[in-house]
Amino acid sequence: MANKVQPIERCDCDVIHEDIVKQVKKKMPQEETLYDLAELFKVFGDSTRIKILWALDEAEMCVCDIAFLLNMTQSAVSHQLRVLKQADLVKNRRAGKIVFYSLDDEHVKQIFNQGLTHILELREDQ
Amino acid sequence: MANKVQPIERCDCDVIHEDIVKQVKKKMPQEETLYDLAELFKVFGDSTRIKILWALDEAEMCVCDIAFLLNMTQSAVSHQLRVLKQADLVKNRRAGKIVFYSLDDEHVKQIFNQGLTHILELREDQ
DNA sequence: TGAACACATGAACAATTATTCATTTATTTA
DNA sequence: TAAATAAATGAATAATTGTTCATGTGTTCA
């Protein structure tokens, strides 16, 4: 994600639409917010993590259970749980040797549902 | 994303929680749906695309305008618009030399807002 | 018709990332 | 205390991805 800032040569087209561009620029949220938003969706953008989140929405589970449920290694699941935790989407509690994970956000299901709506509409259209 | 299917050795822990795992498995959406969901969020998981989507939610714009607004090359923007189009998130219309892009989904803003809610809550907590 | 413009596209490259494997840490229990 | 279990972690690797650069395509207009 090389983000070299570089002056852009405006084409004639821009001169015509200058007003619109200015207005849009004003209305856009600040850079950092948009970046954070992308980072959040990036976390949702992996099917393993989507599965984990969906599972945890159904029930609190330990790492080992999740691994069995998804037919993955304990290590792979653990790595992904770390990503989810850093994004404040899941939390955990220790009970002896076992660590139980659960959702730490009420919007997860709502975000899922919005996404699902989009997908299902597309399927209907075909 | 190597997805080699591989038998997982269950640990003792699983035997105990077997019922929960079975129940969760039943309730989960089918594999393909979860995969599609991840693919959709993957599209949202890039700040350039987030910016483009946000901009297009404010106004229909041509490629060149977007490039200027985001201070990016026309090529980079064009590549990303292609990704957004393939995900059925934007559509375009041609007006002579100029191609205008606009949103092709009513849920985009709602998905954004759910994500924003999460982010803003985290900021408050710190 | 041909030059100019707006956009699309393909290849290449650098950066990121998901999983695996080996190892370590924390806890229980024999 | 030593062995066993559940989970976390670091390094390595393969795969994916965003941007750049060069070039191709479609449209306008002189």
Side-chain angles (χ1 to χ4, degrees):
Chain A
M1 210 183 295
N3 239 339
K4 297 166 201 162
V5 176
Q6 180 194 2
I8 301 289
E9 195 72 30
R10 295 191 73 177
C11 59
D12 299 345
C13 164
D14 284 325
V15 179
I16 304 167
H17 309 130
E18 191 154 15
D19 288 343
I20 295 168
V21 172
K22 269 189 186 169
Q23 274 182 33
V24 170
K25 200 158 200 166
K26 256 192 212 165
K27 283 195 171 184
M28 298 256 294
Q30 61 186 119
E31 179 81 19
E32 193 198 351
T33 302
L34 294 173
Y35 180 80
D36 289 350
L37 203 52
E39 287 303 301
L40 175 64
F41 287 125
K42 207 173 280 183
V43 176
F44 285 92
D46 175 80
S47 57
T48 296
R49 289 192 292 264
I50 286 276
K51 286 176 197 168
I52 293 175
L53 287 173
W54 201 285
L56 293 182
D57 186 65
E58 300 291 347
E60 183 190 56
M61 284 195 289
C62 67
V63 179
C64 178
D65 282 345
I66 299 171
F68 175 72
L69 175 68
L70 305 185
N71 195 42
M72 292 179 62
T73 64
Q74 173 268 317
S75 178
V77 170
S78 192
H79 277 295
Q80 296 299 358
L81 283 168
R82 189 155 148 271
V83 174
L84 292 171
K85 186 125 189 284
Q86 281 172 344
D88 291 290
L89 292 173
V90 306
K91 62 187 177 212
N92 57 10
R93 69 181 175 87
R94 178 149 220 145
K97 286 182 292 186
I98 301 174
V99 177
F100 286 98
Y101 279 82
S102 58
L103 284 197
D104 191 22
D105 191 289
E106 299 130 31
H107 315 106
V108 170
K109 200 57 176 285
Q110 290 173 52
I111 292 177
F112 278 1
N113 285 334
Q114 291 292 340
L116 272 182
T117 308
H118 176 79
I119 290 167
L120 296 178
E121 276 183 11
L122 289 182
R123 288 191 185 162
E124 281 168 20
D125 291 350
Q126 266 125 39
Chain B
M1 210 184 295
N3 238 339
K4 296 166 200 161
V5 176
Q6 177 192 5
I8 302 288
E9 195 72 29
R10 296 192 73 176
C11 60
D12 298 346
C13 164
D14 284 325
V15 179
I16 304 167
H17 309 129
E18 190 153 17
D19 289 342
I20 295 167
V21 171
K22 269 188 187 169
Q23 275 182 32
V24 170
K25 199 157 201 166
K26 255 191 214 165
K27 282 195 171 183
M28 299 255 295
Q30 61 185 119
E31 179 82 20
E32 193 198 351
T33 302
L34 294 174
Y35 180 81
D36 289 348
L37 204 50
E39 288 303 302
L40 176 63
F41 287 126
K42 205 172 281 181
V43 176
F44 285 91
D46 175 79
S47 57
T48 296
R49 288 192 293 264
I50 286 276
K51 286 176 197 167
I52 293 176
L53 287 173
W54 201 286
L56 293 181
D57 186 63
E58 300 291 348
E60 182 190 57
M61 284 195 289
C62 67
V63 179
C64 175
D65 281 346
I66 299 171
F68 175 71
L69 175 70
L70 305 185
N71 196 40
M72 293 179 63
T73 64
Q74 172 267 315
S75 179
V77 170
S78 192
H79 276 296
Q80 296 301 358
L81 283 169
R82 189 154 149 273
V83 174
L84 292 171
K85 186 126 189 284
Q86 280 172 343
D88 291 288
L89 293 174
V90 306
K91 62 187 177 211
N92 58 10
R93 69 180 174 89
R94 179 150 219 145
K97 287 182 292 185
I98 302 174
V99 176
F100 286 98
Y101 279 84
S102 58
L103 284 196
D104 191 24
D105 191 289
E106 299 129 32
H107 316 104
V108 170
K109 201 55 176 287
Q110 291 173 54
I111 293 176
F112 278 0
N113 286 333
Q114 292 293 339
L116 273 181
T117 308
H118 175 79
I119 290 168
L120 296 178
E121 276 182 11
L122 290 183
R123 288 192 187 163
E124 282 168 18
D125 290 351
Q126 267 126 37

